[in-house]
Amino acid sequence: VLAPSRGSVFHGLDQRLAAAPALVSASPPARFYAAAAKPAKKGSQKTKKEETKEKPVTRRRPLMNKPVDDVYLTWLYKRPSYELEKAVEMLKKFQELDFTNPKQFVYINVFLDMALKKKKKVEPFSSTVLLPYRFTDEINRVLVFTENEQEAEIARENGAAVVGGVELIKWILEGEIQVDSYIAVPEIMPKLIPLRGKLKRKYPNTRKNSLGHDIPQMLKFYKEGLQYSVEEEDVIKTRIARLDMPAEQIIANLKTVINDICTFKPSTYDPIVQKLVIRSATSEGLMLRLNGILPQVEKGEGEEVEEEEKENAEDDEGKPAQ
């Protein structure tokens, strides 16, 4: 298509184009974006005020009275705590009302105070405890370290899952052998040093009853014992019984576990157990009162004398001046 010649079709177009303003201006183009704001200093008052505005503090004031029915706002009331016997009775009642399995397990959540003086704390630990009343037929797998053939035969007769000497170290390091517990005789301990980093808390130890010559007793302890460990730095969650067991047996098992936990903090400090919750597999958790559950610490003669002096001082303060 040929373009039309000048002035033939659009008469006067040349004059209009010449009079039109220039499309490109010499002035700089306008900015279509906003300038970046300067970041406020961390310690400025403006930043602190904005943070307080963004996070309003909600003050919840628990009421003193107990709720009158079973439908209420939980944050308005302090969480109730129960005596151990009453809590076990309530768990059994919940099971009957909910038509759940009567042979379900009973669990406890133990919240710990791991702090000591001078910024020290109790390191997370694991332990095994032999309960007075067994509640499961499960048998833990136990490995026995020994190079004595007679001791090895005794270990096999008493139900050891694996028995051997230094030849087992390679298989354990490579993850080919996995058991629940490890026990050993003292003579082989110098050869087991390469396993210290691998086994960690399960490394044979006299304090944990996993090092000695009484192989049948150690095997019974670790095959039937309840194993627990500290989770999330300050919580222990473990099962202790079955709900269809008599209440006396459930209570005895619970106190046995709590007594074992309390041995990991010196008696001169505050109790390591701060809060204790009991529940079944299908029920809500019931907070327990610690009075009567924690082991009683026997006071020395010096402490008794100090208490007597305090009592005498209080009596003197209450007497009128002569």
Side-chain angles (χ1 to χ4, degrees):
V1 178
L2 297 175
S5 60
R6 287 184 120 184
S8 60
V9 179
F10 301 102
H11 181 71
L13 180 62
D14 295 339
Q15 290 82 359
R16 289 196 295 270
L17 288 174
L23 295 177
V24 179
S25 175
S27 60
R31 293 187 300 179
F32 296 99
Y33 56 88
K38 294 182 179 179
K41 295 181 180 179
K42 292 183 179 179
S44 63
Q45 296 181 354
K46 185 178 179 181
T47 309
K48 293 180 180 178
K49 289 181 180 179
E50 289 177 356
E51 289 179 355
T52 53
K53 287 181 181 179
E54 293 176 357
K55 299 179 181 179
V57 179
T58 56
R59 295 183 179 179
R60 295 179 175 179
R61 298 181 178 178
L63 302 179
M64 297 298 294
N65 298 329
K66 296 181 180 180
V68 295
D69 53 23
D70 56 354
V71 180
Y72 58 91
L73 296 174
T74 55
W75 60 266
L76 284 176
Y77 300 90
K78 185 178 179 181
R79 186 175 181 179
S81 58
Y82 305 93
E83 297 292 341
L84 179 55
E85 293 78 5
K86 177 65 176 178
V88 173
E89 180 184 344
M90 291 173 66
L91 292 181
K92 291 179 174 290
K93 191 67 176 178
F94 293 158
Q95 179 270 320
E96 295 175 2
L97 295 176
D98 295 338
F99 300 98
T100 54
N101 183 13
K103 294 186 178 182
Q104 58 186 295
F105 290 117
V106 178
Y107 299 84
I108 57 172
N109 294 353
V110 189
F111 299 86
L112 308 176
D113 176 18
M114 309 285 280
L116 296 175
K117 293 181 180 179
K118 296 183 180 179
K119 297 182 180 180
K120 293 183 180 180
K121 65 177 184 178
V122 180
E123 294 298 327
F125 54 87
S126 62
S127 180
T128 303
V129 59
L130 197 62
L131 300 178
Y133 301 98
R134 293 201 65 202
F135 60 91
T136 177
D137 295 331
E138 298 176 4
I139 299 295
N140 299 321
R141 289 171 51 83
V142 184
L143 182 148
V144 179
F145 286 110
T146 181
E147 292 182 328
N148 185 305
E149 187 57 37
Q150 185 178 359
E151 292 176 338
E153 187 62 29
I154 294 174
R156 296 187 190 97
E157 292 175 356
N158 285 270
V162 183
V163 183
V166 293
E167 71 276 3
L168 301 178
I169 295 178
K170 177 183 176 182
W171 302 106
I172 296 173
L173 291 175
E174 294 179 354
E176 297 294 332
I177 296 178
Q178 296 181 353
V179 294
D180 299 307
S181 303
Y182 302 83
I183 64 176
V185 294
E187 290 77 13
I188 199 174
M189 287 304 295
K191 301 178 181 179
L192 301 182
I193 294 177
L195 292 176
R196 185 184 294 273
K198 177 71 174 180
L199 301 185
K200 296 180 181 179
R201 300 178 187 176
K202 295 183 178 181
Y203 193 74
N205 191 334
T206 307
R207 183 178 180 277
K208 295 181 179 180
N209 298 324
S210 57
L211 178 62
H213 287 100
D214 195 345
I215 295 177
Q217 183 180 359
M218 291 190 296
L219 275 172
K220 176 179 175 59
F221 181 79
Y222 278 97
K223 281 171 54 183
E224 301 179 2
L226 173 70
Q227 299 180 358
Y228 66 86
S229 59
V230 177
E231 305 173 8
E232 302 172 3
E233 295 187 354
D234 60 353
V235 181
I236 294 175
K237 301 177 182 179
T238 184
R239 57 186 185 180
I240 58 167
R242 276 199 329 268
L243 196 56
D244 62 338
M245 294 171 60
E248 296 78 12
Q249 296 182 5
I250 298 175
I251 293 172
N253 282 358
L254 183 144
K255 289 185 175 181
T256 301
V257 175
I258 296 299
N259 289 346
D260 188 72
I261 293 173
C262 290
T263 60
F264 286 90
K265 191 172 183 180
S267 58
T268 53
Y269 293 91
D270 294 333
I272 190 172
V273 178
Q274 292 293 296
K275 189 168 67 172
L276 179 58
V277 177
I278 187 172
R279 64 177 180 86
S280 67
T282 58
S283 76
E284 62 176 297
L286 303 176
M287 191 163 67
L288 299 177
R289 296 174 186 168
L290 298 179
N291 294 337
I293 298 179
L294 299 182
Q296 299 295 326
V297 179
E298 296 182 1
K299 299 178 181 178
E301 296 180 359
E303 294 179 357
E304 292 179 356
V305 171
E306 288 181 1
E307 286 195 356
E308 289 180 1
E309 290 178 354
K310 288 181 180 179
E311 291 177 358
N312 294 334
E314 290 176 358
D315 293 341
D316 292 341
E317 288 177 1
K319 294 178 182 179
Q322 295 291 334

